[in-house]
Amino acid sequence: MASTAPVIMRIMASSIQTAKLAGGIIRDVLKQGDLGIVDKGKNDPQTEADRSAQRCIIASLTKKFPGVKIIGEEGGSDLNVCDDWLVEDLDEEFLQKSCPAEWRDAKPEDFVIWVDPLDGTAEYTQGYVEHVTVLIGIAVKDAAVGGIIHQPFYQQPDGELGRTIWGLKGLGTGGFTHSLAPPGEFIITTTRSHSNALHQQALNAFPATKILKVGGAGFKVLQLLEGKAHAYVFATPGCKKWDTCAPEAVLEAQGGFLTDINGKNYSYNADVEHVNRQGVLASVGENHSELVYKIPRKVREAVGV
Ligand SMILES: Nc1ncnc2c1ncn2[C@@H]1O[C@H](COP(=O)(O)O)[C@@H](OP(=O)(O)O)[C@H]1O
Ligand SMILES: [Mg+2]
Ligand SMILES: [Mg+2]
Ligand SMILES: [Mg+2]
């Protein structure tokens, strides 16, 4: 099965296993205590966990899929890793599923894998570990098609740490229970560490009954999927393609939308600009275009159409 399944199914099944190992590395760095924080820019920390998790993910996926382009947040990594960090196995349960017809013939050169080894780094360094996710996004040509969102610090009912959520357009999602957000309320989830005046102007335009400020694009999209919020608003540049590729694919595989603040999906081919200049707007579905029109024109003009 493993060697005959379509490439996209093998990439997804391998990414599920790889995200789990990366999650273990992230827990280990925290346990050992020295985070090795480096500032990449204003409000843009990188830790030993970001660096090590990226090496594990990119080394494992490069070895398994040598013809596939992989782009990681932390830049060029040393792929010479110990055997313990090389993930060989595929998630067998996922491999049993049937590949949607539209992706069956996609070839290695059609893919770009966008890797955010640790989403929510600021929160990780501040102890809000439940906001942390590992994101592996799978694009085919321009579109975000598949995604893995792994939560290293999610506590399972049996006490085990870690949960892995996946989504593939045309197939569906797995690893969590989908819920609808409370009707009669309008709850927005948004950044807790990258706000600015422009973003605040957009937030003020929504009739929100509650605003949740949490870290990470992955965690915010999980809040939409689990019915904790109705919309994710980030009306300024700052997020990058590795932040949104996996969350977009998982959310849209569940019937939601993740777009820029003009309602347009981003492109995820290998040549695109990494920054999502037109911000992020995500919702669980039915009224996405109404949300787009709530954002003031001034904000829209400031980020460019
Ligand atoms: N102004 C900014 N500068 C740098 N990174 C930003 C940013 N705004 C958002 N991001 C990145 O987008 C992701 C989600 O941000 P937020 O938690 O504020 O919603 C984070 O990913 P990382 O933690 O992977 O770097 C964060 O660093
Ligand atoms: Mg970062
Ligand atoms: Mg990120
Ligand atoms: Mg990151």
Side-chain angles (χ1 to χ4, degrees), residues 206-221:
F206 288 96
T209 54
K210 201 191 279 175
I211 295 187
L212 308 173
K213 295 189 173 172
V214 301
F219 189 62
K220 285 190 261 297
V221 163

PDB file of all heavy atoms in Angstrom, residues 206-221:
ATOM      1  N   PHE A 206     -16.165  45.237  13.790  1.00  0.00           N
ATOM      2  CA  PHE A 206     -17.021  44.044  13.918  1.00  0.00           C
ATOM      3  C   PHE A 206     -17.870  44.125  15.195  1.00  0.00           C
ATOM      4  O   PHE A 206     -17.378  44.571  16.231  1.00  0.00           O
ATOM      5  CB  PHE A 206     -16.163  42.775  13.982  1.00  0.00           C
ATOM      6  CG  PHE A 206     -15.536  42.405  12.675  1.00  0.00           C
ATOM      7  CD1 PHE A 206     -14.238  42.793  12.378  1.00  0.00           C
ATOM      8  CD2 PHE A 206     -16.243  41.670  11.731  1.00  0.00           C
ATOM      9  CE1 PHE A 206     -13.653  42.452  11.168  1.00  0.00           C
ATOM     10  CE2 PHE A 206     -15.671  41.323  10.525  1.00  0.00           C
ATOM     11  CZ  PHE A 206     -14.371  41.717  10.239  1.00  0.00           C
ATOM     12  N   PRO A 207     -19.113  43.660  15.115  1.00  0.00           N
ATOM     13  CA  PRO A 207     -19.950  43.654  16.314  1.00  0.00           C
ATOM     14  C   PRO A 207     -19.642  42.423  17.170  1.00  0.00           C
ATOM     15  O   PRO A 207     -20.498  41.548  17.356  1.00  0.00           O
ATOM     16  CB  PRO A 207     -21.368  43.570  15.726  1.00  0.00           C
ATOM     17  CG  PRO A 207     -21.197  42.828  14.442  1.00  0.00           C
ATOM     18  CD  PRO A 207     -19.813  43.106  13.940  1.00  0.00           C
ATOM     19  N   ALA A 208     -18.425  42.346  17.693  1.00  0.00           N
ATOM     20  CA  ALA A 208     -18.017  41.139  18.417  1.00  0.00           C
ATOM     21  C   ALA A 208     -18.636  41.112  19.818  1.00  0.00           C
ATOM     22  O   ALA A 208     -18.688  42.136  20.501  1.00  0.00           O
ATOM     23  CB  ALA A 208     -16.503  41.088  18.516  1.00  0.00           C
ATOM     24  N   THR A 209     -19.095  39.928  20.226  1.00  0.00           N
ATOM     25  CA  THR A 209     -19.565  39.773  21.602  1.00  0.00           C
ATOM     26  C   THR A 209     -18.393  39.406  22.509  1.00  0.00           C
ATOM     27  O   THR A 209     -18.464  39.535  23.728  1.00  0.00           O
ATOM     28  CB  THR A 209     -20.654  38.688  21.699  1.00  0.00           C
ATOM     29  OG1 THR A 209     -20.158  37.480  21.118  1.00  0.00           O
ATOM     30  CG2 THR A 209     -21.917  39.113  20.964  1.00  0.00           C
ATOM     31  N   LYS A 210     -17.310  38.914  21.908  1.00  0.00           N
ATOM     32  CA  LYS A 210     -16.124  38.541  22.683  1.00  0.00           C
ATOM     33  C   LYS A 210     -14.917  38.532  21.737  1.00  0.00           C
ATOM     34  O   LYS A 210     -15.074  38.173  20.557  1.00  0.00           O
ATOM     35  CB  LYS A 210     -16.323  37.135  23.248  1.00  0.00           C
ATOM     36  CG  LYS A 210     -15.444  36.829  24.455  1.00  0.00           C
ATOM     37  CD  LYS A 210     -15.470  35.364  24.814  1.00  0.00           C
ATOM     38  CE  LYS A 210     -16.677  34.940  25.630  1.00  0.00           C
ATOM     39  NZ  LYS A 210     -16.688  33.465  25.845  1.00  0.00           N
ATOM     40  N   ILE A 211     -13.740  38.929  22.249  1.00  0.00           N
ATOM     41  CA  ILE A 211     -12.522  38.845  21.440  1.00  0.00           C
ATOM     42  C   ILE A 211     -11.509  37.994  22.197  1.00  0.00           C
ATOM     43  O   ILE A 211     -11.161  38.310  23.345  1.00  0.00           O
ATOM     44  CB  ILE A 211     -11.952  40.243  21.119  1.00  0.00           C
ATOM     45  CG1 ILE A 211     -12.968  40.991  20.226  1.00  0.00           C
ATOM     46  CG2 ILE A 211     -10.600  40.133  20.413  1.00  0.00           C
ATOM     47  CD1 ILE A 211     -12.510  42.320  19.687  1.00  0.00           C
ATOM     48  N   LEU A 212     -11.079  36.898  21.581  1.00  0.00           N
ATOM     49  CA  LEU A 212     -10.089  36.009  22.193  1.00  0.00           C
ATOM     50  C   LEU A 212      -8.727  36.366  21.615  1.00  0.00           C
ATOM     51  O   LEU A 212      -8.571  36.414  20.385  1.00  0.00           O
ATOM     52  CB  LEU A 212     -10.414  34.544  21.868  1.00  0.00           C
ATOM     53  CG  LEU A 212     -11.834  34.061  22.174  1.00  0.00           C
ATOM     54  CD1 LEU A 212     -12.046  32.649  21.628  1.00  0.00           C
ATOM     55  CD2 LEU A 212     -12.076  34.090  23.689  1.00  0.00           C
ATOM     56  N   LYS A 213      -7.747  36.627  22.471  1.00  0.00           N
ATOM     57  CA  LYS A 213      -6.403  36.962  21.987  1.00  0.00           C
ATOM     58  C   LYS A 213      -5.490  35.778  22.282  1.00  0.00           C
ATOM     59  O   LYS A 213      -5.157  35.534  23.450  1.00  0.00           O
ATOM     60  CB  LYS A 213      -5.903  38.235  22.651  1.00  0.00           C
ATOM     61  CG  LYS A 213      -6.771  39.421  22.235  1.00  0.00           C
ATOM     62  CD  LYS A 213      -6.236  40.750  22.673  1.00  0.00           C
ATOM     63  CE  LYS A 213      -7.109  41.835  22.037  1.00  0.00           C
ATOM     64  NZ  LYS A 213      -6.814  43.149  22.526  1.00  0.00           N
ATOM     65  N   VAL A 214      -5.139  35.038  21.240  1.00  0.00           N
ATOM     66  CA  VAL A 214      -4.318  33.838  21.424  1.00  0.00           C
ATOM     67  C   VAL A 214      -3.199  33.828  20.388  1.00  0.00           C
ATOM     68  O   VAL A 214      -3.249  34.549  19.388  1.00  0.00           O
ATOM     69  CB  VAL A 214      -5.164  32.538  21.308  1.00  0.00           C
ATOM     70  CG1 VAL A 214      -6.287  32.526  22.338  1.00  0.00           C
ATOM     71  CG2 VAL A 214      -5.707  32.344  19.898  1.00  0.00           C
ATOM     72  N   GLY A 215      -2.189  32.982  20.620  1.00  0.00           N
ATOM     73  CA  GLY A 215      -1.032  32.917  19.729  1.00  0.00           C
ATOM     74  C   GLY A 215      -1.217  31.898  18.619  1.00  0.00           C
ATOM     75  O   GLY A 215      -1.894  30.889  18.788  1.00  0.00           O
ATOM     76  N   GLY A 216      -0.568  32.191  17.472  1.00  0.00           N
ATOM     77  CA  GLY A 216      -0.459  31.197  16.409  1.00  0.00           C
ATOM     78  C   GLY A 216      -1.645  31.162  15.455  1.00  0.00           C
ATOM     79  O   GLY A 216      -2.798  31.251  15.876  1.00  0.00           O
ATOM     80  N   ALA A 217      -1.341  31.027  14.168  1.00  0.00           N
ATOM     81  CA  ALA A 217      -2.399  30.879  13.155  1.00  0.00           C
ATOM     82  C   ALA A 217      -3.053  29.504  13.296  1.00  0.00           C
ATOM     83  O   ALA A 217      -4.268  29.352  13.122  1.00  0.00           O
ATOM     84  CB  ALA A 217      -1.801  31.046  11.757  1.00  0.00           C
ATOM     85  N   GLY A 218      -2.252  28.490  13.630  1.00  0.00           N
ATOM     86  CA  GLY A 218      -2.784  27.131  13.768  1.00  0.00           C
ATOM     87  C   GLY A 218      -3.796  27.050  14.892  1.00  0.00           C
ATOM     88  O   GLY A 218      -4.891  26.501  14.726  1.00  0.00           O
ATOM     89  N   PHE A 219      -3.455  27.617  16.037  1.00  0.00           N
ATOM     90  CA  PHE A 219      -4.359  27.534  17.200  1.00  0.00           C
ATOM     91  C   PHE A 219      -5.646  28.317  16.950  1.00  0.00           C
ATOM     92  O   PHE A 219      -6.737  27.890  17.336  1.00  0.00           O
ATOM     93  CB  PHE A 219      -3.637  28.038  18.455  1.00  0.00           C
ATOM     94  CG  PHE A 219      -4.417  27.797  19.719  1.00  0.00           C
ATOM     95  CD1 PHE A 219      -4.726  26.511  20.127  1.00  0.00           C
ATOM     96  CD2 PHE A 219      -4.840  28.860  20.497  1.00  0.00           C
ATOM     97  CE1 PHE A 219      -5.455  26.277  21.299  1.00  0.00           C
ATOM     98  CE2 PHE A 219      -5.561  28.640  21.671  1.00  0.00           C
ATOM     99  CZ  PHE A 219      -5.877  27.348  22.061  1.00  0.00           C
ATOM    100  N   LYS A 220      -5.535  29.460  16.264  1.00  0.00           N
ATOM    101  CA  LYS A 220      -6.741  30.259  16.008  1.00  0.00           C
ATOM    102  C   LYS A 220      -7.696  29.490  15.082  1.00  0.00           C
ATOM    103  O   LYS A 220      -8.905  29.495  15.290  1.00  0.00           O
ATOM    104  CB  LYS A 220      -6.351  31.626  15.429  1.00  0.00           C
ATOM    105  CG  LYS A 220      -5.781  32.553  16.511  1.00  0.00           C
ATOM    106  CD  LYS A 220      -5.611  33.962  16.037  1.00  0.00           C
ATOM    107  CE  LYS A 220      -4.227  34.347  15.624  1.00  0.00           C
ATOM    108  NZ  LYS A 220      -3.216  34.296  16.689  1.00  0.00           N
ATOM    109  N   VAL A 221      -7.139  28.833  14.084  1.00  0.00           N
ATOM    110  CA  VAL A 221      -8.005  28.054  13.177  1.00  0.00           C
ATOM    111  C   VAL A 221      -8.611  26.859  13.926  1.00  0.00           C
ATOM    112  O   VAL A 221      -9.779  26.512  13.707  1.00  0.00           O
ATOM    113  CB  VAL A 221      -7.233  27.650  11.906  1.00  0.00           C
ATOM    114  CG1 VAL A 221      -7.928  26.532  11.161  1.00  0.00           C
ATOM    115  CG2 VAL A 221      -7.091  28.873  11.001  1.00  0.00           C
TER     116      VAL A 221
END
